[in-house]
Amino acid sequence: MNYIPDRITAEPGRSRDTFAGAELDVPTWPVEPGRYRLVAAAACPWANRAIIVRNLLGLQDVISMGLAGPTHDVRSWTFDLDPGGVDPVLGYERLQQAYFARYPDYPRGITVPAMVDVESKAVVTNDFPWITHDFFFEWREHHRADAPDLWPAECREEMEEVMRRIFTEVNNGVYRCGFAGSQKAYDDAYDRLWTAMDWLEERLTHRRYLMGESITEADVRLFTTLVRFDAVYHGHFKCNRNKITEMPALWGYARDLYQTPGFGETIDFEQIKAHYYVVHEDINPTGIIPKGPDTSVWTTPHGRDSL
């Protein structure tokens, strides 16, 4: 999928960047507190990243947030969680309206997260890796005083390699399993996923976080898949070699993050399950939403403090 590549930067103009192997020459918008609204959905792992990073950096007072409901039709995510089904800032029933406000014939999927210009009510960007990248690098003047260093310079090159593997093999890997159109495609996807999961289990056995002692963007990106794994991907996407709760390092790590301020409060397991089991009619034509698993286990001691 192609995304709207515009960025919101501290120095507006046109930006030429290399990030994750991509060279971009894109228009930029100025960083201005109160100007933009992050439209996200608690159900969506890609949007969940942006919600978490906004929390960790303390940007709640400078970037407002609207949350779409967990289910959507072919047209768009909708604001059915808000009174009257209307976003109170944008006045929209559908996120699609923000896309059409800028591109009347927008031909691609209406995705979250999206940054929307409040005054014009038009979408600015839905390029999700850049949204969280720029929350850190471009909105620094507005971070809370004790905000974590999500992109530490001393390990940034390795971190980008780790994130690239997480994205291709895990974040996308579960979808590759779930939407495989043949047995061979599924078998190949399954093997790739579990090769990466075993690599992560080994990596996290002797280090608390992916890059060492501190939380980085890499941890945010992995967490949003791990927290959905047992509730959705294990059964719904047939990623069923084992559950996260059966992998000691990954399970302890996932709980550690869940119990860290900024992470767990963004998770709504009922919305997550409703999204996958209702929206994916081709995979789950009955629309039945499982009652389990027990989510209280996420608050049990993780024992990771000594690493």
Side-chain angles (χ1 to χ4, degrees):
M1 176 178 289
N2 295 319
Y3 295 94
I4 301 167
D6 296 34
R7 293 176 55 200
I8 299 169
T9 61
E11 296 183 7
R14 294 188 71 84
S15 175
R16 186 166 187 83
D17 296 279
T18 57
F19 174 63
E23 291 191 2
L24 303 171
D25 183 14
V26 300
T28 66
W29 300 56
V31 164
E32 290 182 17
R35 176 169 179 175
Y36 306 100
R37 187 160 178 81
L38 169 65
V39 178
C44 171
W46 318 104
N48 197 177
R49 291 183 186 182
I51 300 171
I52 292 171
V53 171
R54 175 177 173 270
N55 283 359
L56 293 176
L57 300 178
L59 294 173
Q60 296 94 323
D61 292 336
V62 295
I63 301 172
S64 70
M65 183 170 70
L67 290 175
T71 61
H72 60 77
D73 56 24
V74 294
R75 292 170 57 195
S76 175
W77 294 84
T78 55
F79 295 104
D80 46 288
L81 300 177
D82 292 306
V86 175
D87 179 89
V89 172
L90 301 175
Y92 289 152
E93 295 180 352
R94 293 176 171 274
L95 178 57
Q96 184 184 55
Q97 293 169 269
Y99 282 71
F100 286 174
R102 184 171 176 194
Y103 303 105
D105 299 315
Y106 188 75
R108 299 189 291 275
I110 308 299
T111 63
V112 290
M115 294 290 284
V116 178
D117 178 50
V118 173
E119 182 177 357
S120 66
K121 300 183 180 180
V123 67
V124 173
T125 181
N126 64 340
D127 200 343
F128 64 92
W130 279 107
I131 289 174
T132 54
H133 173 280
D134 290 343
F135 278 179
F136 179 75
F137 285 101
E138 305 297 334
W139 290 81
R140 275 183 157 168
E141 182 181 344
H142 306 284
H143 291 182
R144 59 182 173 86
D146 60 344
D149 183 358
L150 296 180
W151 291 76
E154 65 273 13
C155 63
R156 197 172 297 164
E157 184 175 349
E158 181 191 3
M159 189 178 86
E160 291 200 16
E161 293 177 0
V162 168
M163 291 193 300
R164 192 173 300 117
R165 186 170 183 184
I166 288 170
F167 175 72
T168 59
E169 305 304 299
V170 180
N171 301 146
N172 271 352
V174 292
Y175 283 84
R176 201 179 293 116
C177 289
F179 290 100
S182 69
Q183 187 67 51
K184 184 180 186 308
Y186 166 74
D187 289 347
D188 291 346
Y190 180 96
D191 291 342
R192 283 180 61 180
L193 170 66
W194 287 107
T195 296
M197 294 291 277
D198 288 338
W199 163 69
L200 289 166
E201 177 73 8
E202 181 180 359
R203 184 178 181 92
L204 290 164
T205 295
H206 302 294
R207 63 177 81 195
R208 185 168 183 180
Y209 305 112
L210 283 168
M211 304 312 301
E213 299 178 357
S214 302
I215 291 171
T216 65
E217 170 98 7
D219 298 298
V220 177
R221 296 185 179 199
L222 178 56
F223 172 78
T224 58
T225 296
L226 295 184
V227 78
R228 288 162 173 76
F229 200 93
D230 288 3
V232 175
Y233 304 143
H234 179 272
H236 185 59
F237 280 176
K238 307 180 185 68
C239 302
N240 62 351
R241 191 191 77 178
N242 53 259
K243 298 177 181 177
I244 296 299
T245 54
E246 297 164 352
M247 303 184 77
L250 275 170
W251 176 225
Y253 165 82
R255 279 177 293 158
D256 190 0
L257 291 176
Y258 182 87
Q259 294 168 33
T260 298
F263 284 83
E265 66 265 31
T266 72
I267 303 303
D268 187 317
F269 286 106
E270 294 308 311
Q271 288 196 45
I272 288 169
K273 290 191 295 183
H275 171 69
Y276 286 93
Y277 286 102
V278 173
V279 172
H280 298 162
E281 295 178 352
D282 50 341
I283 299 177
N284 187 44
T286 65
I288 294 172
I289 303 171
K291 293 183 71 173
D294 177 12
T295 58
S296 66
V297 295
W298 282 90
T299 57
T300 59
H302 53 73
R304 302 275 296 176
D305 311 74
S306 61
L307 290 177

